[in-house]
Amino acid sequence: MEQGSIADCKFSVADMTTDDNLDKNLLDLLKQRKFTEFKQTMQLLTFYDKFSPPLFPMLSCIEQDLQHIYSMESLGQSDDQVSMYGHGVPQKQKILLSPTLVFWPGKDSKKAYITMEAGPQQHYLPPHLKQFIVTGQPIVPPADMQEYSIVQMTLYGGQSVHMYHPLASSTRFADANYILNLEEPIIVPHVIATQLRQLLHPKQHQRTHSSLEWLEEAAYEQHLVFSLT
């Protein structure tokens, strides 16, 4: 292993919508001998794949939405402004193959990446929807009225978007939460940590806003748990 080189890496998972660059990214991790990151990535992908419907497409939806939001929030604004007051600046170089963003400009800049882990039951969008953001007319077809509603969200700069919001009556669900992981933790006083814990605990705080407004929340310890309901 020390003397040889890794020439190829082929990855496939049944019923999973994969990133076109997934094989290449995994191979790069191995070639760079980032074995810890490779193991973490494989554990995440295994976790995503064990649910039905698979969770990987939901992260793909979020990644597209973040790019969409950035394209709107960056109109006439610098990346520093978007990273400070908006929903973050998406990064091409991902952490653990997850959607990755930069928050807060300058020396306080932080990278964050989105994953999922076991948690209270959450509902998800039908597979024919590729984004949470509504790109066409904000209308729910009669066949989907039990699956999702449409809510409105205001972006940095005052622009508004419509978003699909999964309903509790949806037949698509999994025992998993989205997690916003900070590459480096933020240290906060105990009183703030207590307030954040109360805010973010799913049984104590009913979330009614759109699925991406979690990016405006502060971070608790190393990651932020947020709910789609």
Side-chain angles (χ1 to χ4, degrees):
M1 186 71 175
E2 293 297 328
Q3 300 299 323
S5 62
I6 300 167
D8 194 14
C9 173
K10 187 62 180 175
F11 181 81
S12 63
V13 177
D15 299 323
M16 178 183 283
T17 302
T18 58
D19 190 308
D20 291 339
N21 296 318
L22 181 57
D23 295 341
K24 179 183 180 300
N25 290 333
L26 288 171
L27 177 59
D28 287 343
L29 290 177
L30 292 175
K31 285 184 173 180
Q32 297 167 26
R33 301 191 179 280
K34 295 182 177 180
F35 300 124
T36 299
E37 290 87 346
F38 180 83
K39 180 180 178 181
Q40 291 174 317
T41 300
M42 294 301 295
Q43 288 173 336
L44 281 172
L45 293 174
T46 300
F47 173 75
Y48 298 156
D49 192 50
K50 78 177 184 178
F51 288 100
S52 180
L55 304 181
F56 198 81
M58 291 296 97
L59 289 176
S60 178
C61 285
I62 288 177
E63 185 165 28
Q64 292 188 68
D65 287 335
L66 292 173
Q67 291 287 350
H68 188 126
I69 289 173
Y70 170 71
S71 69
M72 296 179 68
E73 291 186 332
S74 61
L75 290 173
Q77 308 290 344
S78 68
D79 280 0
D80 281 357
Q81 290 173 305
V82 175
S83 66
M84 175 63 78
Y85 303 110
H87 287 78
V89 178
Q91 300 292 289
K92 292 183 179 179
Q93 187 66 34
K94 300 179 185 179
I95 300 175
L96 299 183
L97 304 184
S98 300
T100 302
L101 302 129
V102 168
F103 294 105
W104 308 296
K107 61 183 179 65
D108 296 322
S109 177
K110 292 276 188 181
K111 277 190 178 181
Y113 58 101
I114 303 161
T115 60
M116 302 185 80
E117 67 179 32
Q121 187 181 91
Q122 303 296 325
H123 294 264
Y124 300 98
L125 295 177
H128 66 273
L129 296 177
K130 305 305 181 185
Q131 291 183 247
F132 284 97
I133 291 177
V134 181
T135 56
Q137 291 295 320
I139 299 173
V140 180
D144 287 342
M145 285 186 174
Q146 298 300 312
E147 299 297 325
Y148 58 87
S149 62
I150 294 178
V151 297
Q152 194 169 26
M153 173 180 171
T154 302
L155 304 180
Y156 169 58
Q159 300 182 77
S160 296
V161 294
H162 289 93
M163 303 192 70
Y164 299 113
H165 179 75
L167 298 174
S169 57
S170 170
T171 58
R172 297 170 175 84
F173 54 84
D175 295 329
N177 274 333
Y178 293 96
I179 306 294
L180 181 65
N181 306 270
L182 294 179
E183 194 172 33
E184 296 178 6
I186 293 177
I187 308 301
V188 297
H190 177 72
V191 63
I192 300 298
T194 300
Q195 292 173 349
L196 287 171
R197 186 185 297 112
Q198 293 172 346
L199 174 67
L200 299 173
H201 195 286
K203 291 184 179 180
Q204 297 177 1
H205 182 67
Q206 296 296 319
R207 308 294 289 277
T208 57
H209 52 54
S210 62
S211 59
L212 285 180
E213 276 191 71
W214 48 268
L215 285 176
E216 296 175 353
E217 303 283 5
Y220 169 62
E221 293 179 350
Q222 293 190 43
H223 58 244
L224 168 63
V225 180
F226 67 96
S227 168
L228 289 177
T229 58

